[in-house]
Amino acid sequence: MSEPATQNKPVSHFTTEAPRPQAEDAAPEKLGLRRMLNIEQVLQIVPVSSVTIWRMEKKGLFPKGTFITPNTKIWWFDEIVAWQREVDGRRRSRRKKPKPRGAQLKSTDT
């Protein structure tokens, strides 16, 4: 009798595990990566214009973007989320109207 052909195969010393997820398949947070947003993505989250983003950034009221190439600016998703939490509950303060000059000069001396 002849032996089955399967016994003539070389034996593999590697274990047969399930394939590991590739970097593209895994969630960025699980890999320790930070999600980057371009201006269009930021504007989908924050309901203001790009000029307002720029002004708020300049005044320190919005997270600063980072240039990853000479013409590509990104914002970090986690910084935008932190900014949203900071803004939540903030109320618009109204300026107090200045008193008319004549009101300050009136005296009660008669």
Side-chain angles (χ1 to χ4, degrees):
M1 288 191 171
S2 66
E3 295 184 27
T6 56
Q7 289 184 353
N8 294 336
K9 289 184 180 178
V11 177
S12 174
H13 297 288
F14 298 104
T15 60
T16 55
E17 297 176 5
R20 292 184 179 185
Q22 298 296 321
E24 303 89 36
D25 298 338
E29 298 82 23
K30 291 183 180 181
L31 295 173
L33 301 175
R34 296 172 72 188
R35 185 169 169 212
M36 297 179 193
L37 304 174
N38 61 26
I39 187 65
E40 289 83 17
Q41 293 169 318
V42 171
L43 293 174
Q44 289 176 353
I45 297 169
V46 183
V48 297
S49 71
S50 58
V51 174
T52 301
I53 295 282
W54 177 78
R55 288 179 186 146
M56 290 175 17
E57 219 179 352
K58 193 173 177 182
K59 291 180 181 178
L61 300 174
F62 193 76
K64 297 241 183 229
T66 303
F67 281 94
I68 57 173
T69 69
N71 295 321
T72 306
K73 188 173 186 178
I74 59 98
W75 286 263
W76 299 107
F77 178 74
D78 57 340
E79 291 180 6
I80 301 295
V81 170
W83 174 82
Q84 283 179 319
R85 289 187 180 129
E86 177 189 321
V87 170
D88 188 28
R90 207 188 282 174
R91 299 286 181 241
R92 181 178 177 176
S93 62
R94 296 185 178 198
R95 292 183 182 175
K96 294 183 180 181
K97 294 182 181 178
K99 294 181 182 179
R101 289 182 174 238
Q104 294 173 349
L105 300 175
K106 289 183 181 178
S107 68
T108 57
D109 296 335
T110 47

